[in-house]
Amino acid sequence: ISNKYVLAETALLNYYIDTPEYRAIIQNDLVGVFCADDLNREILLTIDDVLETSSHSPNLREVVLSRFKNEKLLKAELILKPKHDYTLIELDDCINQIKERNLLSEENAIREKQRQLDPHIDVDEYKKLSADVLSIRQRRENIWKKTKSSKN
């Protein structure tokens, strides 16, 4: 996992834990568990668990952190440092980083399937996978085009 993706996950976790409006945007744009980093994933699942069991906890961060012990607690505290300057632009950038990572992962999985094929024997399947890769690349480009046009 690249550092930029872990940083995006970390930022998103803070948006997610602190702001219900931003949490809704994240849940809408990134379906499922958006964290690939093990500790970030554990923190996200803990946040969701706390929200399911006590949705109106005024100190969500404290309740979530209370579920961690020792070294994990120290790391979780570093990840969940309170932040006071949330912006839609940063949120959008972080969401797009995760979308890009997910598409790269999807592309790598397709390329691995291609490597296992003989392009001379499995011609149709090879062509289909190549088209899938091109489609993913286009979707990745569109992520950032959309962002740039919305910032202008």
Side-chain angles (χ1 to χ4, degrees), residues 55-69:
S55 62
H56 300 296
S57 175
N59 297 316
L60 180 58
R61 183 183 307 275
E62 289 175 28
V63 174
V64 168
L65 287 172
S66 73
R67 303 249 180 123
F68 293 90
K69 302 289 181 239

Side-chain angles (χ1 to χ4, degrees), residues 81-119:
K81 278 192 170 181
K83 182 178 174 174
H84 301 288
D85 55 337
Y86 294 108
T87 67
L88 280 172
I89 291 173
E90 181 187 39
L91 177 63
D92 194 40
D93 284 346
C94 291
I95 288 171
N96 287 335
Q97 289 285 342
I98 301 305
K99 285 180 178 179
E100 178 186 54
R101 180 204 58 209
N102 293 347
L103 288 170
L104 282 170
S105 178
E106 196 178 326
E107 181 180 334
N108 288 338
I110 291 170
R111 289 217 173 273
E112 185 54 38
K113 284 182 189 176
Q114 270 188 316
R115 277 191 276 284
Q116 295 171 6
L117 296 175
D118 183 332

Side-chain angles (χ1 to χ4, degrees), residues 116-129:
Q116 295 171 6
L117 296 175
D118 183 332
H120 302 293
I121 296 172
D122 305 304
V123 176
D124 291 339
E125 180 66 12
Y126 197 87
K127 283 181 182 178
K128 181 198 169 302
L129 293 175

Side-chain angles (χ1 to χ4, degrees), residues 4 10 14-15 21-22 26 29 31 42 45 54-56 61 72-73 75 84 96-98 101 113 116-117 123 137:
K4 73 178 185 177
T10 299
N14 282 285
Y15 278 86
E21 304 83 53
Y22 291 152
I26 294 167
D29 286 358
V31 179
E42 189 174 346
L45 295 173
S54 57
S55 62
H56 300 296
R61 183 183 307 275
K72 271 192 183 175
L73 173 61
K75 290 178 180 178
H84 301 288
N96 287 335
Q97 289 285 342
I98 301 305
R101 180 204 58 209
K113 284 182 189 176
Q116 295 171 6
L117 296 175
V123 176
R137 286 186 177 169

